[in-house]
Amino acid sequence: MKAIMCFLCVILLLAQSCKSKQDLGEMSGKAIEELSQPKTPEILTISFSINKLDSVNQIGAFSNYGKLKEREDAFFQAKEGDLKISFLNLLGQVCFEKIIPNPLLKQVEYSENDTSGILVSKTIEMEESEFFVRIQWVECIEQMQLDRLEGGNWKTLRRLGFTKPNIQ
């Protein structure tokens, strides 16, 4: 009888031990799952200046929480003079790219004469301009490369290292 009682105690202890290990396994699985889930999405805004001599500089950058809603016109065919911003990892591999309409071309409207009230639209080329890019933050971004479409080919203007700014 004592042997049976000891045997039952051992079985109960082993069962409890297995249950504890299973609970620990489930808890560690949940912790791994939580770590692998994406963090709160962030939107990155980067501002640049450019001039007619193709000098491009980053003016500033800031980051904020949020999910970027892409517009339907965000994916259009690049035209002569447009810019392409490639976001790269440390090895120079492209994380993603974004096309920016030529920031040196500005559409202006004005009245041809004061009496008619008719507006005329004209595109003018600026000597220099500022523009900004908004993107959804992706962890692989370590560099940016800015290219201009010239003669059907992309000409590299500048490659910049990039460090994500803190949340504003």
Side-chain angles (χ1 to χ4, degrees):
M1 183 74 162
K2 266 187 174 179
I4 294 174
M5 288 297 275
C6 286
F7 180 71
L8 288 175
C9 285
V10 170
I11 290 178
L12 287 173
L13 287 173
L14 286 174
Q16 188 63 31
S17 174
C18 289
K19 174 74 172 137
S20 297
K21 287 180 182 175
Q22 183 180 5
D23 290 344
L24 285 174
E26 287 175 9
M27 287 173 41
S28 64
K30 287 180 183 176
I32 291 170
E33 185 178 314
E34 287 173 9
L35 289 174
S36 67
Q37 287 180 349
K39 299 176 188 172
T40 304
E42 296 178 31
I43 297 173
L44 182 65
T45 303
I46 310 167
S47 56
F48 299 92
S49 66
I50 187 170
N51 65 25
K52 232 179 172 176
L53 301 174
D54 290 338
S55 174
V56 180
N57 294 303
Q58 180 183 335
I59 299 172
F62 66 92
S63 183
N64 228 334
Y65 292 117
K67 182 88 170 120
L68 188 64
K69 296 177 184 165
E70 288 288 331
R71 298 185 322 258
E72 287 180 28
D73 63 343
F75 304 100
F76 63 94
Q77 187 69 27
K79 297 182 285 261
E80 191 73 14
D82 287 350
L83 300 180
K84 174 175 68 173
I85 301 178
S86 301
F87 296 93
L88 314 168
N89 65 14
L90 280 178
L91 300 174
Q93 298 166 327
V94 176
C95 299
F96 67 93
E97 298 175 325
K98 186 162 184 145
I99 305 295
I100 306 298
N102 187 343
L104 292 173
L105 295 180
K106 297 294 178 190
Q107 191 75 21
V108 294
E109 290 183 348
Y110 59 94
S111 178
E112 196 163 36
N113 62 43
D114 291 336
T115 58
S116 71
I118 296 174
L119 290 177
V120 176
S121 178
K122 184 177 182 181
T123 301
I124 60 171
E125 188 171 358
M126 310 287 286
E127 292 291 321
E128 59 186 36
S129 180
E130 293 181 1
F131 65 98
F132 70 93
V133 176
R134 293 181 72 209
I135 61 166
Q136 195 71 55
W137 172 251
V138 179
E139 287 295 326
C140 77
I141 299 173
E142 300 286 341
Q143 304 177 66
M144 298 179 294
Q145 181 172 308
L146 290 98
D147 303 303
R148 176 187 303 282
L149 187 60
E150 290 183 1
N153 297 314
W154 291 104
K155 172 189 168 193
T156 299
L157 303 179
R158 186 148 190 210
R159 188 176 233 175
L160 303 163
F162 186 77
T163 303
K164 181 175 115 5
N166 293 329
I167 297 291
Q168 296 277 331

